[in-house]
Amino acid sequence: MADIPRYMRDVIPPESERFAEVERIGASIVELAGYRRIITPMFENTDTFTRGVGESTDIVNKEMYTFDDRSGHSLTLRPEGTAPVVRSIVTNHLDQGGLPVKLYYSAPMFRYEKPQKGRYRQHHQIGIEAIGSEDPALDVEVLATGWNVLAACGVEATLLLNSMGHPGEDCRKRYQPALKEFLEGYREQLDADCKRRMDQNPLRVFDCKVPADQAILANAPLLEDFLCASCREHLGDVQRGLKELGIPYTMAPRLVRGFDYYTRTTFEYQSAALDAAQNAVGGGGRYDGLVESLGGPGLPGIGFGLGIERIRLAQEAAGVQLPSHEVTVLVVPVGAEEKDAATSLLWSLRAAGVRSDTTYSERSLKAQLKHANRIGARLVAIIGANERAAGTCTLRRMDSGEQTELSVSDAVARAAEEQAR
Ligand code: HAM
């Protein structure tokens, strides 16, 4: 038997249809805010991620699917969507067409993680990126758009907000030594991974999941106490904007998120319906140095990524009903002589937008009805000799067994109504 690769998942009907519905809702809401779809390759040159996401991050250190192609080029399956979009903006000079550039994606991401409920090696994100403005009003737009996508999906989330300051003189350059000094006092107590983080990039210690390390970090100095006046003002404007829109948020001074590119605004949407270790249904932030570090002009940017699988888990937990796409009508010719009439009805139904199918084998009416049940058809359109002669069909409701003989056009109209209910 051919096996699916370990820890990979197929998304099959009806889940695949609910998944697609989340994508559709997401796309329609971000398009309302002026974001346009971008499709970048599934893999990039590895250095797009090592430079973009950062050498000290877990993603680059432990989680990338990196391979050499047949010419020896190092390629990496996309672990996240921001660096590729920024790379594409630079490649295609998209910044020359008016700023901010506003793009969205709905795409698979690959991370070699320890799989568990809500954490997969291939997951999918709906994300937006807005490049070319530092205006805190743009931060508010991004935060509110993600919030609206979740709300439209029926997911109740808590919005956590932080400012990472900027890497310049006044914020992080003052904070990093203070954090390092604090951590040095605990060097022997921290686990090996955390020690590596501390030496490579002290901010990354906040990504550490070990409970004993977290207890130590509870007393660590916080970046918020080192923010410069302009970052503080920027954060204040974002907070005011959120209040204006009535979007509740909680400040989370230890939220550094697992990427080196973040500056200033960082945020996460968490759902209480998910397990604590992977309760983020989405997250994002500002990355004011990323475009430049990928070889483009010094343009700021901000965006978010929402996890479709986690949105689906949160929806399931909340009992959100999403449509699935079973056929509405199964068209059943009783004998070989009725096949042409059945085919004609089938295509009339499809032309009217009614999901419909027929069986491609001769079976008893009883067997056909059983088949209709199995595939979830709500109606069966039966054409026997009488119906063929009269140019009608008998429409049977599968739930009640009620049958009505109708003209073809009435049957199509009735089926369309049924599908819309
Ligand atoms: P992220 O927080 O790594 O951010 O991923 C965004 C969302 O994708 C997470 O909140 C989560 O819902 C989902 N997710 C991540 N990893 C997995 C996984 N292994 N299994 C299932 N779901 C997962 C980013 O990727 C940034 N690029 C977001 C961003 C866009 N920042 C700025 N712009």
Side-chain angles (χ1 to χ4, degrees), residues 3-249:
D3 285 331
I4 185 167
R6 198 157 168 246
Y7 299 132
M8 289 287 125
R9 300 163 359 117
D10 295 315
V11 186
I12 59 175
E15 177 55 24
S16 51
E17 289 148 358
R18 298 182 177 134
F19 184 106
E21 180 68 7
V22 171
E23 287 189 295
R24 197 193 57 72
I25 293 170
S28 71
I29 287 180
V30 304
E31 283 176 3
L32 279 179
Y35 292 83
R36 298 184 64 191
R37 181 149 187 175
I38 181 164
I39 300 170
T40 62
M42 200 83 87
F43 52 79
E44 295 280 342
N45 293 325
T46 299
D47 72 342
T48 295
F49 299 113
T50 47
R51 279 158 62 192
V53 172
E55 304 264 15
S56 69
T57 61
D58 279 357
I59 290 191
V60 167
N61 269 296
K62 306 180 191 167
E63 296 174 0
M64 295 206 302
Y65 281 91
T66 296
F67 57 97
D68 283 353
D69 70 7
R70 287 170 192 275
S71 337
H73 293 299
S74 180
L75 301 171
T76 293
L77 292 186
R78 169 177 59 207
E80 64 100 44
T82 308
V85 168
V86 168
R87 192 274 309 141
S88 177
I89 287 172
V90 175
T91 307
N92 298 294
H93 308 290
L94 297 182
D95 55 296
Q96 290 169 11
L99 297 174
V101 186
K102 295 169 79 173
L103 299 166
Y104 79 92
Y105 47 90
S106 184
M109 311 288 161
F110 303 87
R111 298 181 190 177
Y112 192 82
E113 294 200 84
K114 207 165 145 205
Q116 49 204 294
K117 190 174 177 199
R119 188 174 298 279
Y120 311 109
R121 291 194 173 170
Q122 175 176 338
H123 74 278
H124 299 76
Q125 288 183 26
I126 301 169
I128 67 174
E129 311 294 348
I131 280 98
S133 170
E134 275 188 323
D135 190 337
L138 184 59
D139 302 45
V140 175
E141 174 185 284
V142 168
L143 282 150
T145 302
W147 181 264
N148 285 349
V149 172
L150 292 172
C153 288
V155 173
E156 237 181 80
T158 305
L159 170 58
L160 301 182
L161 181 65
N162 191 21
S163 173
M164 301 274 300
H166 63 79
E169 291 298 329
D170 280 344
C171 293
R172 264 190 246 167
K173 283 223 175 100
R174 285 192 305 125
Y175 174 62
Q176 304 246 60
L179 177 61
K180 186 96 196 277
E181 193 186 325
F182 168 85
L183 293 170
E184 285 296 352
Y186 296 91
R187 181 175 277 277
E188 293 323 310
Q189 282 145 271
L190 294 169
D191 89 326
D193 207 25
C194 207
K195 254 182 255 170
R196 174 190 60 78
R197 295 172 202 264
M198 159 180 164
D199 293 328
Q200 256 184 307
N201 177 358
L203 266 177
R204 293 267 69 85
V205 296
F206 289 105
D207 297 336
C208 191
K209 304 283 179 321
V210 179
D213 291 353
Q214 294 221 340
I216 293 171
L217 291 171
N219 299 313
L222 295 173
L223 185 50
E224 67 177 351
D225 297 322
F226 291 77
L227 287 185
C228 68
S230 76
C231 287
R232 205 172 284 283
E233 189 185 332
H234 193 271
L235 175 62
D237 287 345
V238 174
Q239 292 171 313
R240 256 188 302 285
L242 289 172
K243 282 190 189 127
E244 196 80 8
L245 290 176
I247 296 177
Y249 62 87

Side-chain angles (χ1 to χ4, degrees), residues 333-351:
V334 172
E337 299 76 48
E338 283 81 45
K339 269 194 136 175
D340 288 349
T343 304
S344 155
L345 172 60
L346 184 63
W347 285 103
S348 301
L349 285 161
R350 290 174 180 172

Side-chain angles (χ1 to χ4, degrees), residues 218-364:
N219 299 313
L222 295 173
L223 185 50
E224 67 177 351
D225 297 322
F226 291 77
L227 287 185
C228 68
S230 76
C231 287
R232 205 172 284 283
E233 189 185 332
H234 193 271
L235 175 62
D237 287 345
V238 174
Q239 292 171 313
R240 256 188 302 285
L242 289 172
K243 282 190 189 127
E244 196 80 8
L245 290 176
I247 296 177
Y249 62 87
T250 307
M251 292 309 292
R254 286 181 187 78
L255 181 76
V256 298
R257 305 202 9 89
F259 302 86
D260 284 350
Y261 52 58
Y262 285 128
T263 54
R264 293 189 163 175
T265 309
T266 44
F267 57 96
E268 215 157 82
Y269 306 100
Q270 297 188 347
S271 159
L274 302 182
D275 296 345
Q278 45 272 327
N279 62 359
V281 283
R286 219 167 231 296
Y287 41 85
D288 292 347
L290 182 60
V291 184
E292 204 166 4
S293 72
L294 291 179
L299 291 173
I302 178 165
F304 66 66
L306 304 176
I308 299 180
E309 287 82 0
R310 293 203 191 160
I311 290 177
R312 284 291 305 128
L313 286 170
Q315 287 179 322
E316 292 274 299
V320 175
Q321 301 283 330
L322 289 183
S324 56
H325 299 168
E326 289 91 359
V327 296
T328 305
V329 186
L330 182 71
V331 177
V332 173
V334 172
E337 299 76 48
E338 283 81 45
K339 269 194 136 175
D340 288 349
T343 304
S344 155
L345 172 60
L346 184 63
W347 285 103
S348 301
L349 285 161
R350 290 174 180 172
V354 178
R355 290 187 300 275
S356 42
D357 206 353
T358 189
T359 48
Y360 291 95
S361 58
E362 282 189 24
R363 288 188 248 178
S364 68

Side-chain angles (χ1 to χ4, degrees), residues 358-377:
T358 189
T359 48
Y360 291 95
S361 58
E362 282 189 24
R363 288 188 248 178
S364 68
L365 186 57
K366 196 170 157 217
Q368 306 264 32
L369 292 179
K370 197 167 160 201
H371 180 70
N373 244 335
R374 290 178 85 169
I375 64 172

